Amino acid sequence: MNIIRKYRGVRMNLSAREIALNILYEIFENGAFSNITIKKHLVEGLDHKEEGLIREIVYGVLENDIYINYIISKASKIKLKKIHPVILIILKIGVYQLIFIDRIPPSAAVNESVNLAKKHGHKGTIGFVNGILRNISRNKDEFMKIEVKDKIDYISIKYSHPKWMIKRWIKDYGDEFTEELCRKNNESPELNIRINTLKTNKDELKERLIDYGFIVKDGIYARDSLIIENPVRITELPEFKKGHFIIQDESSTLVGQIMDPISGSTVVDLCSAPGGKATHLAQIMNNKGKILSRDIYEHKIRLIEENARRLDINIIETSISDATKRDESLVNIADYLLLDAPCSGLGLIRRKPEIKRNRREEDIDELVKLQYDILNNVKDYLKIGGILIYSTCTIEKDENINLINKFLEKNKNFKLVNIEDKIKNKQDITTLKSGYIQLFPHIHNTDGFYIAKIIKER
């Protein structure tokens, strides 16, 4: 079996499908992150169409992995765990094209996969790949049938989510809600950008982007957000390089909007990297005051600093800090405190579909303990009358509202604050008076995100 070819900055005449194979191999075998791995492998010189096909195959295979495995297992006499990982990925790429990409002729999907098998397999695997894919191509409708009776099994296979997630969500939200959520998780999200109002304004930036040929809409809930429907290479624009905007989902942008810190304040931002929220807070504060941005790793601190420099923000002071350890120098200094807590990330599945594969149910309990410990550890950094924002990019109640209710029960001088006046559009959000929001991809067309606003009283 040939080893997957590695390359750094040199294309080596690899086809789009072979680049996709390299990317998927790193993700499946090494636990790599899809966005980082794709960026690493998209070398200069790639045609836009090739880049689009690579992204479509990589994300398509990841989004539909359980379903694709189900189809392959119906067609193969060899169990999946006994198929060499490279050959299995080649099969997945072929099956994805046969089932999900109508514009690619079945013959091309089969032949290109066979060519990959020739490069990375041996004579036996070539025939194996050819036979499996031709069989699926000839009997597509039969292989696509999901023959299970249990609702959980059906949703798990159809939308390629692990059964433990399905069970949790059905328990919290019901069958229909869960199926719609899983369906939406497999759709490509629109790109959101946040306008840097220190350098430009919404109308001006929107007009420039439209002139470049981008399809642009206003954000639904966040005042400083724009939605880009065709964002190909948008970070190559002069406006991006000059700091006129930053890529940030609307849900994340709402953190700063809901906190709404006044100019001249002191903000402590824990778990701050890569700095999207910190730079937005600085923007809202008119770049006046102080934002103490903390994170645990030096490379993450550098990301905050790079973003601040590009956006021309100079009130952010960075330092390495472990949020689980009490910092006496921060006690009673914060007018505003932001804890964007480490979480399961289950609200980001549309953007990082490998989460479905890598996350384990037992992680939730460990994260809840970590979140609660951090929250208790940092609460004293806030002045009396100060505002605490707790946020996560998950839809898990145990990490969100259940955790906050537990914290408030134990800390009677902390209260949730009405946030009705902080949201641009209140459609499909019913908890604003209660002081928090929970966003869902299939309802709000944002990442799954939770934000609670809490005041510290005497």
Side-chain angles (χ1 to χ4, degrees), residues 59-66 156 158-165 169 182 185-187 344-346 348-350 352-360:
Y59 282 116
V61 168
L62 291 173
E63 286 162 358
N64 298 282
D65 188 45
I66 294 175
S156 176
K158 177 70 174 175
Y159 304 103
S160 293
H161 284 63
K163 285 194 278 190
W164 70 263
M165 280 187 199
W169 294 344
C182 291
N185 278 345
N186 284 357
E187 293 182 5
S344 60
L346 300 189
L348 302 179
I349 288 173
R350 296 186 308 161
K352 301 178 181 179
E354 67 274 13
I355 288 170
K356 295 189 289 186
R357 176 184 175 89
N358 297 337
R359 184 61 72 195
R360 297 289 178 264

Side-chain angles (χ1 to χ4, degrees), residues 152-208:
I152 291 171
D153 287 339
Y154 176 81
I155 296 174
S156 176
I157 295 168
K158 177 70 174 175
Y159 304 103
S160 293
H161 284 63
K163 285 194 278 190
W164 70 263
M165 280 187 199
I166 307 298
K167 290 176 183 176
R168 289 181 73 96
W169 294 344
I170 286 177
K171 179 184 174 185
D172 281 345
Y173 303 112
D175 290 13
E176 186 178 341
F177 184 103
T178 298
E179 185 166 358
E180 282 301 300
L181 171 62
C182 291
R183 180 191 59 77
K184 188 67 174 181
N185 278 345
N186 284 357
E187 293 182 5
S188 298
E190 294 169 318
L191 184 87
N192 294 182
I193 65 171
R194 194 195 81 231
I195 303 150
N196 181 7
T197 53
L198 296 173
K199 290 195 161 192
T200 186
N201 60 63
K202 180 178 281 189
D203 291 339
E204 182 180 332
L205 181 61
K206 192 175 178 180
E207 187 176 330
R208 288 189 185 183

Side-chain angles (χ1 to χ4, degrees), residues 105-244:
S107 58
V110 174
N111 292 338
E112 291 296 334
S113 297
V114 169
N115 288 337
L116 288 176
K118 286 177 181 177
K119 284 188 177 184
H120 299 286
H122 50 71
K123 189 173 181 181
T125 58
I126 296 167
F128 176 68
V129 168
N130 185 54
I132 293 288
L133 294 181
R134 289 196 184 281
N135 188 12
I136 293 171
S137 178
R138 286 192 299 265
N139 304 284
K140 179 176 173 180
D141 291 342
E142 192 62 32
F143 281 106
M144 288 178 68
K145 287 180 184 174
I146 300 173
E147 299 168 309
V148 295
K149 294 179 180 179
D150 185 82
K151 183 73 171 178
I152 291 171
D153 287 339
Y154 176 81
I155 296 174
S156 176
I157 295 168
K158 177 70 174 175
Y159 304 103
S160 293
H161 284 63
K163 285 194 278 190
W164 70 263
M165 280 187 199
I166 307 298
K167 290 176 183 176
R168 289 181 73 96
W169 294 344
I170 286 177
K171 179 184 174 185
D172 281 345
Y173 303 112
D175 290 13
E176 186 178 341
F177 184 103
T178 298
E179 185 166 358
E180 282 301 300
L181 171 62
C182 291
R183 180 191 59 77
K184 188 67 174 181
N185 278 345
N186 284 357
E187 293 182 5
S188 298
E190 294 169 318
L191 184 87
N192 294 182
I193 65 171
R194 194 195 81 231
I195 303 150
N196 181 7
T197 53
L198 296 173
K199 290 195 161 192
T200 186
N201 60 63
K202 180 178 281 189
D203 291 339
E204 182 180 332
L205 181 61
K206 192 175 178 180
E207 187 176 330
R208 288 189 185 183
L209 292 174
I210 290 170
D211 286 344
Y212 284 123
F214 292 100
I215 300 169
V216 186
K217 300 183 296 186
D218 285 354
I220 301 168
Y221 304 103
R223 290 185 292 268
D224 294 334
S225 284
L226 290 174
I227 301 168
I228 315 297
E229 293 188 3
N230 56 336
V232 177
R233 300 185 177 175
I234 196 168
T235 56
E236 295 177 8
L237 294 179
E239 284 77 8
F240 177 80
K241 293 174 182 176
K242 292 176 182 177
H244 289 202

